[in-house]
Amino acid sequence: MNDPKSSLTQVRDRIDSIDRQIQELISERANWAREVARVKGEGLSAIDYYRPEREAHVLRMVVDRNHGPLSDTEMVRLFREIMSSCLAQEDPLKVGYLGPEGTFSEQAVRKHFGHAAYGLPLGSIEEVFQEVAAGHADFGVVPVENSGQGMIQITLDLFLTSEARICGEVELRVHQCLLSQRESLEGIKRVYGHAQSLQQCKTWLRVNLPSAECIAVSSNAEGARLARHTDDAAAIAGAAAGKVYGLKTVADAIEDRADNTTRFLVIGRSLFPPSGNDRTSLLITVNDKPGALYDVLSPFAKRNVSMNRIESRPAHTGKWQYAFFIDVSGHIDDESLQAALKDMGPVAEQVRVLGSYPVALP
């Protein structure tokens, strides 16, 4: 009869052996990453070594090879952290995001760049654009769309005047919590939260806190910071903000939609080569005439380019003038997309390529 303790010891010994092999291979990978830096030359910064198209290709291979038991999301997260640490050996990437610490924007930074990147919390989405443009941040991460509330208009508007390039996208499953110094709903008179988060939880708030005042603030983490200083307030934020600001979770998963997801854009200063599975974002303005939008969109169908999304915003160039934000499948270097943009030239007033970037991974 097998001794259970002996069998457990054997299993643990095997796990220890595997751990040693994993550690040795990670160290070997880190050394080869240094070799990449040596080949590219001395005096370069992290942004000169970072290649999102290469990273996306590596992570897709991770997904293709994965047969469990860990999920694709977990495997991607683990490999992302390894690559993040290897890249940061000399100089970590500096990534701006809507702060303070504990926001969903910070979670998106960590999901895309890993924990070895240096997060730079900023006071507004506009400041993220400014810091990237000035070179104080290598990249920025900004929210652009929520699955329930739609587009985040301020982000789109900033692209009208900014030269920022879109270098990537992140999809983050958003779980909202009600955080407070209190342990129950009783006595909560005010609820702080970002306007988008208040909207995402409006039904729950109406049912559970009908008399509470809902106060919009610049970010959920800012709301958590405010709630920390008063005993009759609560904040809507992620669990991470509760840990940062020492608040109790009074209720969790209070979002009205079970599939509540926010899409973030990674902004930088350059376009990157194709990764093999890309999306291109365009900013197009048209002349005010009948059929103008049809004339602009028809080249996509003619050239078999799939359009994923279209949004309109006031162009800020004149009354009733509009700009169209359009996402299409493919990279700007693809022949079909190049042909579609050439066809569009005579009928569009302006066409700007905001970015071509890898489609979001799990």
Side-chain angles (χ1 to χ4, degrees), residues 34-53:
R34 285 184 172 181
E35 181 65 13
V36 170
R38 188 193 68 79
V39 170
K40 286 194 171 185
E42 298 288 335
L44 299 178
S45 61
I47 194 171
D48 298 306
Y49 304 124
Y50 179 67
R51 286 294 174 265
E53 76 283 359

Side-chain angles (χ1 to χ4, degrees), residues 13-286:
D13 287 345
R14 178 57 179 152
I15 290 174
D16 290 344
S17 175
I18 293 171
D19 286 346
R20 286 191 293 272
Q21 294 175 54
I22 291 172
Q23 186 172 355
E24 289 171 1
L25 289 171
I26 290 174
S27 296
E28 183 179 354
R29 192 193 193 285
N31 284 327
W32 280 109
R34 285 184 172 181
E35 181 65 13
V36 170
R38 188 193 68 79
V39 170
K40 286 194 171 185
E42 298 288 335
L44 299 178
S45 61
I47 194 171
D48 298 306
Y49 304 124
Y50 179 67
R51 286 294 174 265
E53 76 283 359
R54 166 65 180 162
E55 191 170 275
H57 176 70
V58 170
L59 293 175
R60 286 190 203 116
M61 289 194 295
V62 169
V63 172
D64 290 343
R65 291 193 301 262
N66 187 36
H67 299 294
L70 295 182
S71 68
D72 289 347
T73 299
E74 279 301 304
M75 291 299 289
V76 166
R77 183 182 66 81
L78 291 169
F79 272 82
R80 178 88 73 183
E81 291 296 342
I82 291 171
M83 290 190 289
S84 176
S85 296
C86 289
L87 179 66
Q89 288 181 93
E90 302 297 331
D91 180 28
L93 288 170
K94 296 183 285 294
V95 185
Y97 66 92
L98 176 62
E101 185 182 0
T103 60
F104 288 116
S105 291
E106 184 186 25
Q107 291 183 39
V109 169
R110 298 308 171 199
K111 181 176 181 180
H112 191 79
F113 289 99
H115 284 73
Y118 176 75
L120 184 63
L122 299 168
S124 66
I125 294 174
E126 183 178 12
E127 195 174 349
V128 176
F129 276 79
Q130 291 170 347
E131 292 298 285
V132 170
H136 301 149
D138 298 318
F139 296 97
V141 173
V142 292
V144 70
E145 181 181 13
N146 178 264
S147 58
Q149 298 301 314
M151 304 304 292
I152 296 170
Q153 306 297 352
I154 186 173
T155 301
L156 295 184
D157 287 347
L158 286 165
F159 280 112
L160 293 171
T161 55
S162 172
E163 295 299 319
R165 301 286 195 162
I166 303 173
C167 308
E169 63 177 3
V170 190
E171 290 187 359
L172 187 70
R173 178 69 177 84
V174 173
H175 292 290
Q176 303 282 14
C177 301
L178 188 76
L179 308 174
S180 179
Q181 291 188 23
R182 293 179 170 270
E183 294 184 350
S184 69
L185 298 175
E186 185 178 355
I188 294 177
K189 298 178 181 178
R190 295 187 299 279
V191 178
Y192 298 107
H194 189 275
Q196 283 272 335
S197 294
L198 292 172
Q199 282 294 311
Q200 291 167 22
C201 305
K202 62 182 180 181
T203 301
W204 189 94
L205 289 168
R206 186 173 65 249
V207 171
N208 294 279
L209 289 171
S211 300
E213 180 186 7
C214 294
I215 303 172
V217 293
S218 60
S219 71
N220 287 337
E222 173 63 13
R225 189 187 68 79
L226 292 171
R228 178 178 59 176
H229 298 296
T230 179
D231 63 359
D232 65 350
I236 293 177
K243 294 176 182 178
V244 171
Y245 296 101
L247 296 172
K248 301 178 182 69
T249 300
V250 181
D252 59 5
I254 66 172
E255 60 273 11
D256 296 336
R257 290 174 58 112
D259 63 348
N260 189 29
T261 301
T262 297
R263 178 175 171 244
F264 296 81
L265 296 178
V266 179
I267 59 172
R269 295 182 291 276
S270 303
L271 290 175
F272 290 91
S275 73
N277 183 22
D278 299 292
R279 193 187 322 277
T280 294
S281 294
L282 304 166
L283 174 59
I284 298 174
T285 55
V286 299

